[in-house]
Amino acid sequence: MQAAVKAVLPEADAASVLVRPCPDPKFGDYQSNALMALARSRKLNPRQLAADVLARLDVREWCEPVEIAGAGFLNFRLKPEALLRTLSAAAAGEHLFFEKTGAPRTIVIDFSSPNVAKPMHVGHIRSTILGDSLARALRLLGHRVITDNHIGDWGTQFGMLIVGWKTSLDRAALEADPLAEMERIYKLISGRCDPDKPGFDAATLDRARAELVRLQSGDPENRAIWREMIRLSESQFETIYRRLGVQFDYTLGESYYHDRLQAVVDELMRRGIAVESRGAKAVLSDGSLEPKDDPFLIHREGEWVPNPFIIQKQDGGFNYATTDLATLLHRLENWRADEIIYVTDGRQQLHFRQLFATFRRWHPEAPVKLAHVWFGSILGDDGKPFKTRSGENVRLAELLDEAEERALQVVTSKSPDLPESVRRDIARVVGIGAVKYADLLPNRQSDYVFSWDKMLALTGNTAPYLQYAYTRIRSIFRKGSVDPAALGAPPAALPLTAPEELALAKHLLNFGLVLEAVGEEYRPNFLCNYLYDLAGRFTAFYENCPVLNAEPGRREARLLLCDLTARVLQQGLKVLGIETLEQM
Ligand code: ARG
C-alpha cells in the first residue's frame, strides 16, 4: 500500500499510510482511511486518488478485489486461502502472527526505581509491572532492550537516616524487617527535622546536615552505614522482583552518578544553558517555545513566570535533576541508546519535561527519543489513594501475600480435590497474575480503584479468565489425546467457513499489529483487550463448532485453531508478565 501511494504521490509521507483492522466486519477485514487526508491536503478528489492508488496496488495474492467506500476508504477482505496459508505457516512454527523488526533499536527502560530505606509500596508496583511489560513487548519485537533500575540511594534523606541509625536503631527489629525499621528511624528523625512539625528540634536538624556532609565527603563510618542500608534494601527489593518475575540488566542507583554531577553543572553553566538564579544554578526559559509549551514557565495570577529547573542548590548540593542529566548522558555514551523510556507516576511530568528540554538544548543533535511513560494512582473503594485501614501505605509484599491467599480460596472452591501444594502453586500464578493484569488493563493515565473481587473473578476481563481460557484449550487436547506439536497442516482445499471460525482466525492475524501498537504507544492495555477479545471469540467458536467430533479434515483445521489460540494467549500473557497453567 505504501509503495502504491509512493508511485502515485512521490512526495507523500508514505509511512503515515496505514492499513488497520476494520472495526466493523461488514466493511471488510482491514481498512485504510489514509488517502482522504492525503487528498484533502492536496485538494484532490479522494475517490479519484483511491482509484489511482488501487490501480497500482496488487494484493490479489492476499485479498478479494479491494473496494473503495464512502469518501475514499479502502476496504480489504482477506481471501480464505490466504488466511489458511497464514495459519499453516504459524502452525509450522514460521511465525506467531508477528514479525521481528527489521530495524532493531537500543531501548533503555528506566522503571521500578524505588528508594533505599523505604519499603516499596503500591505506587511502585505500577512502574514495575508496566515497565516490565514494555520491556517484554519490545524485546519480543526484536529490539535491544536494556532495563535499568534507577534506585534512590543518594540524597538528603541519608543525613536523617544516619542520625537515626546511630541514636535509635533497634537491631532486633532491623533483623526481623529491615525496611520497616529503617522507615521507622527515618520517620522519627525527619519528624524532628521539620520546622513545621511540633516535634521540631534544631539540634537534630544540624546533626542530620553534618552527618550528610560527612557521608558525602567519604567518612568511612557513615559510608559503611549507608552501604549497609543499600544492601538490606536491595535484598528486600530482590525478593519482590523474584516473586513478580522481574529482572533488571542494571541497577545503577543515583549514587552511581555522584562523581559526574559537578561536571554536568559546570558544562551547562559554561554553555550558558544554566544560569545563577537566586544563589542557585538553574535552567530557565530561553524564549524559544510558546509559553504554554515551555516547561520553564508557569502560569500564575494571569502571568507567565519563571519555573526554573534547579541543578545545583544554594548550599552547593546537587539534586534529582542533576543526577538525571548525568544519567541520560551515561546511557547515550555507554549504551548508545536510541530511545529512553522512563516509567513513573504522573506527578513527575514537569520534572521530565524540564529534563528533556534541558537535554535538547545541551545536545541538540542527539537523535535519541525520550519518553516519559506516566501513570495515575491506585485508589481505594472510597476514591482516595489506596491505603491500609490504619492509613498507611500498602506494602507491596503484603499485597502480594494477600493476592495469593485470596487466589487460594478461589482455587480451593473450584478444585477442592487437588493436593494443597498444587493448589498453592496455582494460587501463586493466579494471584500474582491478577494483580498485574488489574494494573495493566486500565488506561495507564487514569486512576483506578483497587478491587480484589473484580481482579480475581473468573469471568470478565481479568487474568484468571484468560488463564482459565488457556487451560480449557489445553484440556481439549488432553481429552482427545492429541499432541498439538504433532498436528499436521490442514488440507489446503478446506477453507474455514463457519463465521465463528473466521472471526477467530482473523483475530489471530492481528496479534502483531497489537504488539507493535503496545511498543509504539507504551500501552500494554491494548494487549489486554486484544487477549480478552481473543478468549471471547474462542468461546463463540467452541460453542458453535465441534472440534474433537468434527469430520476428518475439519477436525484438523479446528484443532489447529485451538492450538494457535492457546499459543497466542500464552505468548500474550507472557508479554504482560503473566504465567499460564495446564490446569486450574
Ligand atoms: N526514585 C524515584 C521515585 O521513587 C523514581 C526514579 C525514576 N527514574 C528517574 N530516572 N528519575 O520517585
Side-chain angles (χ1 to χ4, degrees), residues 110-116 121 124 127 148-153 254 320 323-324 327 331 342-345 347-348 351-352 355:
D110 173 324
F111 70 102
S112 193
S113 309
N115 300 315
V116 164
H121 54 74
H124 290 111
S127 175
D148 186 9
N149 192 359
H150 189 73
I151 57 173
D153 61 358
E254 295 177 18
Y320 191 53
T323 307
D324 255 331
T327 306
R331 289 171 178 166
Y342 299 82
V343 189
T344 83
D345 71 59
R347 286 169 303 183
Q348 299 197 31
H351 167 76
F352 284 104
L355 175 70

Side-chain angles (χ1 to χ4, degrees), residues 399-583:
L399 184 93
L400 298 180
D401 291 344
E402 184 164 353
E404 291 186 22
E405 241 1 272
R406 287 179 182 254
L408 185 63
Q409 288 165 23
V410 176
V411 176
T412 304
S413 67
K414 264 200 98 69
S415 316
D417 303 332
L418 291 173
E420 179 172 341
S421 65
V422 177
R423 277 183 286 125
R424 283 211 175 268
D425 227 33
I426 298 174
R428 181 186 61 79
V429 173
V430 171
I432 305 279
V435 169
K436 288 189 176 185
Y437 195 84
D439 207 60
L440 292 169
L441 175 64
N443 173 346
R444 63 177 157 77
Q445 281 151 341
S446 39
D447 299 343
Y448 77 91
V449 175
F450 191 91
S451 156
W452 286 117
D453 292 339
K454 242 194 184 158
M455 73 175 76
L456 284 165
L458 285 166
T459 53
N461 196 351
T462 66
Y465 168 72
L466 296 176
Q467 288 168 320
Y468 187 58
Y470 177 82
T471 60
R472 261 176 42 213
I473 303 179
R474 302 290 295 164
S475 75
I476 298 171
F477 286 94
R478 275 198 300 277
K479 208 164 115 205
S481 306
V482 181
D483 174 9
L487 284 178
L494 181 86
L496 304 170
T497 47
E500 295 85 3
E501 286 173 329
L502 288 168
L504 176 62
K506 288 174 180 176
H507 196 60
L508 286 170
L509 261 56
N510 292 339
F511 186 42
L513 284 177
V514 172
L515 287 175
E516 281 165 25
V518 168
E520 269 157 34
E521 299 187 34
Y522 315 120
R523 294 192 187 275
N525 58 321
F526 292 168
L527 180 57
C528 297
N529 287 317
Y530 169 84
L531 294 175
Y532 180 59
D533 202 2
L534 180 64
R537 287 177 193 232
F538 181 80
T539 305
F541 155 77
Y542 196 58
E543 279 167 3
N544 290 288
C545 308
V547 175
L548 290 172
N549 298 326
E551 67 212 63
R554 215 171 265 287
R555 183 176 189 264
E556 282 65 47
R558 289 184 177 166
L559 278 167
L560 181 62
L561 274 182
C562 290
D563 181 43
L564 292 172
T565 303
R567 273 154 58 181
V568 169
L569 270 175
Q570 185 174 44
Q571 177 68 75
L573 285 169
K574 201 166 168 192
V575 167
L576 301 174
I578 298 173
E579 294 173 55
T580 41
L581 294 155
E582 290 303 308
Q583 55 173 356

